[in-house]
Amino acid sequence: MEILDEGQFHYINKGQEDQLECHGYKRDRIKTSVTVVFAMCTLGLLFLVFYWKPEWFVWAQFTSCELVDADVVLLRTMDEHRTWSKETVKLETGDSMLIHISSLEARCEDGKDVHQMQELSNQSSDSSPLTLSDFNRQDSAVIHGESSNCQPDQSLRYFIHHCLKYMWNAEKKTFEKVRGLDSGIPCSVFYTLGHGLSSTDQANRQTRYGDNAITVKVKPYIKLLFYEVLNPFYVFQLFSVCLWMSDEYYYYAAAIIVMSLLSIGTQLYTIRKQSEMLHQMVESHNTMRVKVCRSGEDWEEVVSTNLVPGDVLVIPPNGMLMPCDAVLITGNCILNESMLTGESVPVTKTQLPSQSSEVYSPEEHKHHTLFCGTQVIQTRYYGGEKVKAVVVRTGFSTAKGELVRSILFPKPLNFKLLTAAYRFVLVLVGIAMIGFTFTVVWMALDGESVGEIFLEALDLITICVPPALPSALTIGIIYAQRRLKKQDIFSISPERINICGLVDLVCFDKTGTLTEDGLDLWAVVPTKNDSFVPAIQDLSMLPLGPLLTAMATSHSLTVIGGKLSGDPLDRKMFEATKWELEEPGSEESTKFDMLVPTVVRPPHSMVLLHHSPNEREYPYEVGIIRQFTFSSSLQRMSVITRTLGSQNMVVYTKGAPETISQLCRPETIPLDFYEVLMTYTERGFRVIAFAWRPLEDKVKFLHTQRMSRHEIETDLTFLGLMVMQNALKPETTPIIHQLNGANISTVMITGDNILTAVSVARECKMVCPGQQIVEVTALAPADSTPAAITYKVSTKHIEPEEIKGADVDENDKRDQFTFAMSGKSFAVIKKYFPHVLPKLAVGGTVFARMSPDQKTQLIEVYQDLGYYVAMCGDGANDCGALKRAHAGISLSELEASVASPFTSKRATIECVLTLIREGRCALVTSFGVFKFMALYSMIQFMSVLILYGVFANLGDIQYLYHDLVIITTIAFVMSRNSAYPKLVRQRPPTSLLRPPILFSMVVQIAIQLAFQLGAFYFLLAQSWFVPWEDYRLCNDGSMNSTINTTDINTTMESTLKPCTVNYDSESDEGVLTYETATMFGVATFQYVITAFVFSKGKPFRQPVHTNWLYVLDLIILTALNVWLLLYPTQPVAYFVELAQFPDFTFRLYLLAGAVANFVISWLTEVLLADNNALWKWLTVSYHQHHKKKYQVLQEELLYDKDYGLPVGAMLSQGTGKEINPDDGHSGDTCIQIDDSTYL
């Protein structure tokens, strides 16, 4: 397609994952008329092609134009598939389009808060956040198609693509995705919405956003049938059936019709059931009653479909199913988000910071966002105030809507097997066209009728390109999915099973994945006079004070159904204190003069005494006034508390020690802080730090609700450390060992401390004994100092006997070191050293303190390097990475977690081995089935072409025997081999176009052709043989004048006697011949031979003999073939239309030829095609020029002084190297690092 000018071609969703090219087209009546004429001439087939190729439909009937004038738009994805789709531009006009400046906008423009927000907006350098008035003005411009000083034309132009609405923006002269309040809105704006929208505002916004509904229509069977039948596969089958019926191949045509109907029926039933399940999943929250605020007056009950962004929703105390995405502005909520994340642990959501100037983002502020489809279990509120949330996204724009769209419109997989399969089918089509041309020319020279010529020639195409090929390729996946289900591994994307067989790198989360989910509190290390005191392992010895109170309050636990529920770490910590937790609502909670979320108290009756005799004595109880829930990106959480009887409130903060230390006053940090921390982290313990700060007396309850997190978490006093023991799961080390043995790289991506992560990596052998750890530290530019990377290498974890640098094999030198880095360094390197990141990723093993987004980014880096990546995790923090990976495996109790393509109900990483084994098995099975189906078509093609050469053909029953009795049964049971139990270093082939596979197919085709020609010419050499051509000529009236019919008939009667039926019957002409019988007999054995030869056993599948049904099928088919060749009874021979040879010795020769065919085919496959050493030697130059990016980088890392240390040198002390982004090379400064800082 020619490049269009900027007025006709725009990018929409620019810079986002779903970026699209948008081309405008306007209908051309002349083109349309010509297209209709051609469609009529082709009996509608042209429109069928247009159905498959929507871009051709547009190019044939429309002319490119500017987007503003477009009747339709062509959208093209920007991924490697470059897929086209067509959408119709709709135009709505009428009084309903007239948008007035809302009272809400006026209210915001007059308000002081908005003025402050606009000032903040003006100070933003990169992307200025929108104020609400900007948002409303944008609504007006978009809906009207006007600029700020134009009059509205009362029209609305838009199109809908993948269930999302794209509206025309007249100012930008392009279509834009309709967005809610989830982009560019400062957090403080939401508190100006507390009074809700007016009815006019609501109606205007609903015009733009439409109904708040995730609609999944359940299509009727007749419509599903129509779409299914128009599939190219079934169209080709329909063509084949029509051809066979016209050629009087009734039996096989009927059999194909029955098989197709069964296949279509099964497919329709599956699609319908999935559609119904999806419909039920989303329908539950589509039509529910909710309470919203209208213009600050009364609370109004409305149907959830009427909700729009900006509505203020009331969350009832007993919870609800969320019908939209909304952000909390008052109160707290406890939710079950298992539908989205796969985690069954309830999470606490708190209100959005009211004074924050941050731009709101559902991902960044997920701890304040209630997502559509999640279940609010209960709410926490203050006094009589209602728990309110502002609607930010509705319909398919919500988190659940995105999930449903990903199911309805899955991303096409870039899988080499499918690509190569399509290319090979094109090769088969080319071969078929050669046969087609030969048949047409040969039969035309013989004087056959045009109809007969085209029937026979077209029949060759259906032979050479088997219609059952796509179905045969999916059988192995179906069997693999069933085997996975038996092992409690469920899949929502079965087509990814084959890709699992290609996995060469596995990324693991740490906590709950490699280690036990439950943590045990090992010890507490308090501070006294700003110094650490000896660790306390018995918490009953810990005195009542700030540290113990911090442990009892710094959590988001709640009581559900009488049981303590929440994060496992929080639960273990709180249970260790043996304190009591009380939910609000009881009489005791009124002692705090207000309703608070949670009250905690020591187990015994402790009394807070006051020195003044006039003051009351209060029991020691602590109320949690406000929570700042744990944030993976911030790596901490905080609470504001008030002790009963106390005049001031206290802040307690818990989080990563490195993070907490930066928030504390330096004088409160013990001098040996890092040494003590390293003592525990190097032993694999998980360490949590605590800090506190009493607030001033003047800070009251209402003030605390307005304070930002930054104001709270500053000038803290360090309290001490909590040491948690996180033991490895017993299965972890053996499985990592098997993955390493199979040459599958393993990487840890965790949010934990880097020292703890390295210790766990060494313990589970992810970092092998003898390997050096090179810590990569990157610093962002500051003042005049440029960004820099520092490398620190250590042998501290290596035993002395392991340091034998001289004995290291040259080929294994790259395995003598590995990189470790933190998420902070990862972010700096990604921004300032993008050329360094690929090598660090290839050489890295431990990535610690990684945020959820960074985990996803690292997966993308690995994929760009050519890895097939698997990701195994157990929590919400891994969702993005699980979805991004080629094979995401969620350890969840749910049967099908929407967080990833695969879900294991067994919470161990053993599922990774199982999935890779089954993936390899399914992949090799797919290759074997494809090769078998290709050989089947070529064997039949070659035998039919030979028979066409003598004007003979196979009979209807013979075709039926080949295609149904032999091919269909083999295809169905050939894939039943289960996976080989051991994971080996050898990798399965990634493509059908690999040299060994191409060699196997080409050589096997040549072998089968050689035996077919050998049998044919051996038949011609028999003394009793009279060619069918001679008999045909003597019965053809046109030849009677030139042929001595008497002599021919005499010869036939005395020697030939080829059949027992009337040769004058037109239907039997060319079937009951010795040529046909010979080719039929040879081909039947060749089908069984190739099936056996292509049935691979170990190292990826169990041996063939374990598939007893397949072996039984081959035995039965072989026995049938021998019987039909040697001793067919007269009725059977008559039914099969099989001519019987007068010489029994000839039949034995054919049987011996079949045995020789088997031996040669099998030896060729085993000794040549499957000889890995031979192919490695033969294709050394091929591999040198077809290496993946990561393989090239692995070689470069052997001696690369720019990005790492010379690997061959085993250093006994630390060495640092620096590079900066100005030159990308090593700095001249060699920094000596103290041994205590080593990993």
Side-chain angles (χ1 to χ4, degrees), residues 648-828:
N648 66 317
M649 300 186 186
V650 178
V651 174
Y652 293 104
T653 302
K654 174 191 73 175
E658 305 94 326
T659 302
I660 298 299
S661 64
Q662 295 175 5
L663 301 175
C664 293
R665 290 182 287 115
E667 64 271 18
T668 67
I669 305 293
L671 296 177
D672 58 347
F673 172 79
Y674 288 102
E675 288 79 359
V676 173
L677 175 62
M678 195 173 300
T679 301
Y680 294 109
T681 54
E682 284 181 343
R683 294 165 60 187
F685 290 111
R686 185 170 183 179
V687 182
I688 307 295
F690 292 91
W692 77 312
R693 176 167 73 97
L695 298 178
E696 299 176 359
D697 292 347
K698 65 180 182 180
V699 177
K700 301 303 180 182
F701 173 80
L702 292 178
H703 189 196
T704 62
Q705 304 306 308
R706 298 192 184 99
M707 295 178 72
S708 67
R709 189 163 193 162
H710 175 72
E711 293 177 277
I712 293 294
E713 297 171 339
T714 186
D715 292 331
L716 302 176
T717 299
F718 188 78
L719 286 175
L721 302 175
M722 178 177 67
V723 184
M724 308 290 286
Q725 192 171 26
N726 193 198
L728 279 177
K729 293 180 179 178
E731 306 87 355
T732 296
T733 303
I735 291 170
I736 297 296
H737 177 72
Q738 290 188 53
L739 290 172
N740 291 336
N743 198 26
I744 296 175
S745 303
T746 53
V747 171
M748 183 191 299
I749 312 177
T750 178
D752 208 342
N753 178 278
I754 189 169
L755 298 174
T756 303
V758 168
S759 175
V760 172
R762 284 203 176 277
E763 186 179 355
C764 70
K765 308 305 179 187
M766 192 175 285
V767 175
C768 300
Q771 276 189 315
Q772 299 176 88
I773 297 290
V774 179
E775 182 183 3
V776 183
T777 304
L779 299 176
D783 298 329
S784 59
T785 306
I789 303 178
T790 302
Y791 300 89
K792 302 174 186 176
V793 63
S794 169
T795 57
K796 185 170 183 178
H797 288 278
I798 306 176
E799 299 299 327
E801 61 269 16
E802 294 175 350
I803 306 177
K804 300 177 181 178
D807 299 332
V808 177
D809 185 10
E810 184 75 17
N811 295 328
D812 293 333
K813 281 185 178 180
R814 69 169 177 263
D815 293 330
Q816 296 307 303
F817 81 99
T818 186
F819 294 120
M821 74 174 75
S822 67
K824 184 178 179 180
S825 296
F826 177 85
V828 173

Side-chain angles (χ1 to χ4, degrees), residues 422-536:
Y422 293 143
R423 291 178 181 175
F424 198 84
V425 167
L426 291 178
V427 173
L428 293 179
V429 171
I431 296 173
M433 295 311 298
I434 295 174
F436 179 89
T437 305
F438 166 79
T439 303
V440 170
V441 174
W442 184 252
M443 290 190 170
L445 292 175
D446 188 56
E448 294 285 351
S449 65
V450 175
E452 186 68 22
I453 290 174
F454 275 95
L455 278 178
E456 299 296 338
L458 290 174
D459 197 29
L460 275 180
I461 297 178
T462 65
I463 290 172
C464 198
V465 185
L469 181 60
S471 298
L473 288 176
T474 62
I475 295 174
I477 297 177
I478 294 173
Y479 284 127
Q481 189 177 13
R482 290 180 179 177
R483 291 193 296 268
L484 288 173
K485 191 173 181 179
K486 290 180 180 178
Q487 300 183 68
D488 291 332
I489 300 175
F490 301 87
S491 173
I492 61 173
S493 184
E495 64 274 9
R496 289 181 182 261
I497 295 177
N498 272 341
I499 298 182
C500 293
L502 301 175
V503 166
D504 45 20
L505 182 139
V506 184
C507 300
F508 293 99
D509 180 34
K510 184 182 76 69
T511 307
T513 304
L514 297 174
T515 61
E516 296 287 356
D517 194 22
L519 300 172
D520 295 321
L521 197 152
W522 187 79
V524 175
V525 188
T527 59
K528 186 176 182 180
N529 298 327
D530 301 328
S531 300
F532 284 116
V533 299
I536 300 175

Side-chain angles (χ1 to χ4, degrees), residues 1066-1077:
E1066 184 179 355
S1067 63
D1068 299 320
E1069 187 172 328
V1071 176
L1072 283 168
T1073 68
Y1074 288 146
E1075 293 95 332
T1076 300

Side-chain angles (χ1 to χ4, degrees), residues 117-131:
M117 287 181 286
Q118 288 172 340
E119 289 182 349
L120 290 170
S121 267
N122 294 332
Q123 295 171 2
S124 178
S125 58
D126 296 330
S127 57
S128 299
L130 298 171
T131 64

Side-chain angles (χ1 to χ4, degrees), residues 66-85:
E66 294 185 356
L67 288 178
V68 69
D69 300 319
D71 296 324
V72 298
V73 290
L74 266 184
L75 305 173
R76 183 163 65 170
T77 60
M78 300 301 294
D79 55 19
E80 63 272 20
H81 302 282
R82 306 290 283 177
T83 308
W84 289 96
S85 57

